[in-house]
Amino acid sequence: MTLTALELDFFRNYLHARAEFSPGVNVIWGENAQGKTNLLEAITYLSSARTHRARYDKELIQFGVDHAFLKGEVASRERRFTLEARLHWGARRELFSNGMKLKTAGELGEYFNTVLFCPEDLSLIRAGAAERRCFLDDAICQLRPKYAAALSEYRKLYESKTRILRDWEEKPSLLDTLDDFNLRMAQVGAILIHYRGHFVKRLVDLTPPIQADFSGGRESLGLRYETVSTVSDPEAPPKAIFEELLRHQQAHREAELSSRQCLSGPHKDDLTVEINGKSARQFASQGQTRTAALSLKLACRELFREDTGEWPVLLLDDVLSELDAQRQAFVLERITGGQVFISCCEEDKGIHKSGKRFRVKNGALG
Ligand code: ATP
Ligand code: MG
């Protein structure tokens, strides 16, 4: 899977830019605040209509302008696709593949997949469960449009139920709809757990060998999917999980009403990470944290390849400079095969033996 060309209008600090890329390594270099991360962000947007740092699409539109346009030429499944995103201030974004309007963001994943590793990914190990759920969700959404649709429905249900629980004492009639929301949340939640369970199982196979290679065999990595306590087998069919979720909801009904919080469901899931049997979140060193986060992302890349038959595009934002020479060499060795974008501040990092280099200066690509 290759992004052969990209065109941007009014995206972040890019007024207008167009570039053609190498199917191998593309080094994006330039000083701070010139647009390196913005470029990688544009590429990820074309794979999922989401980015790692924008909460709302309007943040991606250039200051003082009311729209932005992104267009990517993608070679995948032995075909060529033109993916486009039109962002509008105050209106819903529109997505197109070969000129046909897409109904959901999840459909982009059928044409184009990306895996991004950036400095903020250290929070994948260090921060709370929400970061790790986000990691699972972003990856599964790209691979399974059905999951993306279920996740979006679950989020809406969760918001509605949260409002009911928050306001029911002032407005008791709200409780009339609680059972309906609970039922649907259990149905949709069961789908999320089922997909997450399968995804983590594959990560459990793929990630530890990468971490072991990375650390010269000194570190063993353990991963475990933590979900609702009544769920006995997260990989079971959603129907079986549904019954178990209902049971958990019923047991927590009183607690939810008195705490006015939604306590039951996969919105509290976590992926625990251990290094040498100890919680990575609590005990990992800076280097181990970075290595574990990168191992997870590289495992994800391999999983995408197993699934789609093609390497997803790998985006490494400003991360190689943080690694020592041996770990840098390991990463560069490990990523041969697919298309890679590497951003860095200096021109010559010895990482562009083959491929192309682009200098980014004030929102222009040279
Ligand atoms: P660093 O090496 O420091 O990470 P970078 O080259 O990755 O720098 P970017 O994060 O891409 O820098 O940001 C480049 C510039 O784009 C920043 O000055 C930022 O303020 C600006 N910028 C961000 N959002 C917008 C926007 N919506 N409109 C215009 N400019 C923006
Ligand atoms: Mg940056």
Side-chain angles (χ1 to χ4, degrees), residues 132-182:
R132 287 177 291 281
R133 279 197 301 276
C134 232
F135 160 69
L136 294 176
D137 289 343
D138 284 349
I140 310 170
C141 279
Q142 283 196 56
L143 290 172
R144 302 275 182 266
K146 247 186 166 170
Y147 183 84
L151 185 65
S152 150
E153 183 179 353
Y154 190 85
R155 285 184 176 142
K156 285 181 199 139
L157 292 163
Y158 173 79
E159 274 174 29
S160 303
K161 182 171 166 183
T162 301
R163 271 197 299 274
I164 295 173
L165 291 171
R166 192 190 57 204
D167 300 335
W168 73 271
E169 275 182 338
E170 293 76 27
K171 217 173 157 203
S173 64
L174 284 174
L175 288 182
D176 297 347
T177 56
L178 186 59
D179 286 343
D180 290 342
F181 277 107
N182 273 339

Side-chain angles (χ1 to χ4, degrees), residues 12-13 32-38 53 59 61-63:
R12 296 258 195 211
N13 70 334
N32 292 133
Q34 299 304 307
K36 302 181 297 296
T37 302
N38 291 347
R53 55 182 191 176
E59 294 167 40
I61 300 174
Q62 190 157 105
F63 301 143

Side-chain angles (χ1 to χ4, degrees), residues 31-38 40 53 119-120 317-318 343 345:
E31 290 162 20
N32 292 133
Q34 299 304 307
K36 302 181 297 296
T37 302
N38 291 347
L40 302 189
R53 55 182 191 176
E120 292 92 319
D317 189 15
D318 211 11
S343 79
C345 284

Side-chain angles (χ1 to χ4, degrees), residues 37-146:
T37 302
N38 291 347
L39 184 80
L40 302 189
E41 194 178 19
I43 297 173
T44 57
Y45 193 87
L46 284 172
S47 67
S48 59
R50 281 162 59 101
T51 88
H52 64 299
R53 55 182 191 176
R55 193 157 173 190
Y56 302 105
D57 283 346
K58 62 186 177 196
E59 294 167 40
L60 304 171
I61 300 174
Q62 190 157 105
F63 301 143
V65 182
D66 67 356
H67 67 282
F69 175 67
L70 299 83
K71 178 169 156 184
E73 307 282 346
V74 172
S76 78
R77 294 185 280 150
E78 293 172 5
R79 291 178 59 193
R80 294 192 167 272
F81 299 95
T82 302
L83 302 180
E84 291 170 90
R86 294 174 191 278
L87 313 183
H88 313 278
W89 187 271
R92 217 176 129 66
R93 50 126 176 83
E94 297 172 293
L95 307 168
F96 301 87
S97 168
N98 288 345
M100 298 280 285
K101 197 165 173 180
L102 303 180
K103 287 199 191 79
T104 63
E107 288 173 64
L108 286 171
E110 292 172 31
Y111 310 100
F112 186 44
N113 305 129
T114 57
V115 172
L116 166 75
F117 185 67
C118 59
E120 292 92 319
D121 280 330
L122 297 189
S123 62
L124 195 54
I125 307 297
R126 284 274 157 87
E131 298 286 332
R132 287 177 291 281
R133 279 197 301 276
C134 232
F135 160 69
L136 294 176
D137 289 343
D138 284 349
I140 310 170
C141 279
Q142 283 196 56
L143 290 172
R144 302 275 182 266
K146 247 186 166 170

Side-chain angles (χ1 to χ4, degrees), residues 266-280:
H267 53 275
K268 300 177 89 69
D269 283 359
D270 197 358
L271 171 71
T272 56
V273 183
E274 291 182 349
I275 297 173
N276 295 338
K278 297 270 185 298
S279 159

